[in-house]
Amino acid sequence: MSAAPALVVGQGGYEISTDPARLDVEAIHAYLTRSYWSPGISRALVERAAAHSLCFGLYDAAEQVGYARVVTDCTTFAYLCDVYVLEAHRGQGLSKWLMQTVQAHPDLQHLRRFMLATRDAHGLYAAFQFTPIAHPERLMEIVVPDAHLHAAAAGRG
């Protein structure tokens, strides 16, 4: 998806890569299916979403232990989603490092708007200049609860 070559950075035995071939879709699915934002999501939908996004895998040796996905046009807009670090690897600053790496990516520079939604990580994202929506009256949304479950039932994931 990205126009830039795959990015690989290392720190303290961990590595972050944007190489889609390194993504462990099984590991990503295992986490997302138990997350509050996509419980029960199918593996096929996780794979399809990753294929159409700029993805950052966080690795401890060969094991994928974290992830961040950015839906973007690489020019004016980006939406950050599916961010996690496995519980056993938390408390080491990895989520901050993952966010630094996401924000430093060449395809995400000079965006007009970079958005996300979170239930419980406001402090993390505030440290990276994310703020509450200044004019929520200007934004609208279509919400389809459990859309991923409906897609699976329709044979699209």
Side-chain angles (χ1 to χ4, degrees):
M1 192 254 115
S2 171
L7 170 79
V8 178
V9 292
Q11 173 179 299
Y14 288 90
E15 193 170 78
I16 295 173
S17 174
T18 59
D19 182 356
R22 286 192 66 186
L23 293 175
D24 182 345
V25 176
E26 289 298 330
I28 298 165
H29 174 253
Y31 186 88
L32 294 181
T33 196
R34 64 183 176 89
S35 70
Y36 73 82
W37 62 88
S38 58
I41 190 168
S42 73
R43 184 192 185 286
L45 283 179
V46 170
E47 190 168 19
R48 184 174 178 199
H52 295 282
S53 302
L54 174 58
C55 299
F56 296 77
L58 172 63
Y59 303 91
D60 181 8
E63 178 190 9
Q64 184 160 352
V65 299
Y67 182 65
R69 183 168 69 88
V70 181
V71 181
T72 185
D73 62 11
C74 299
T75 305
T76 63
F77 180 81
Y79 183 81
L80 177 67
C81 53
D82 296 341
V83 179
Y84 73 86
V85 173
L86 291 178
E87 292 84 350
H89 297 269
R90 292 181 186 170
Q92 303 178 62
L94 295 174
S95 62
K96 291 180 182 79
W97 179 47
L98 183 57
M99 284 302 304
Q100 290 167 345
T101 304
V102 167
Q103 284 195 318
H105 193 280
D107 286 347
L108 303 177
Q109 302 308 300
H110 311 293
L111 298 171
R112 183 174 40 208
R113 179 162 288 143
F114 200 160
M115 299 181 77
L116 62 84
T118 185
R119 179 174 77 181
D120 55 5
H122 296 81
L124 169 67
Y125 299 120
F128 293 94
Q129 287 74 52
F130 284 91
T131 62
I133 303 284
H135 299 284
E137 70 278 4
R138 295 181 185 171
L139 296 175
M140 298 178 75
E141 65 182 349
I142 297 172
V143 176
V144 182
D146 303 325
H148 57 282
L149 300 176
H150 301 295
R156 295 181 312 207

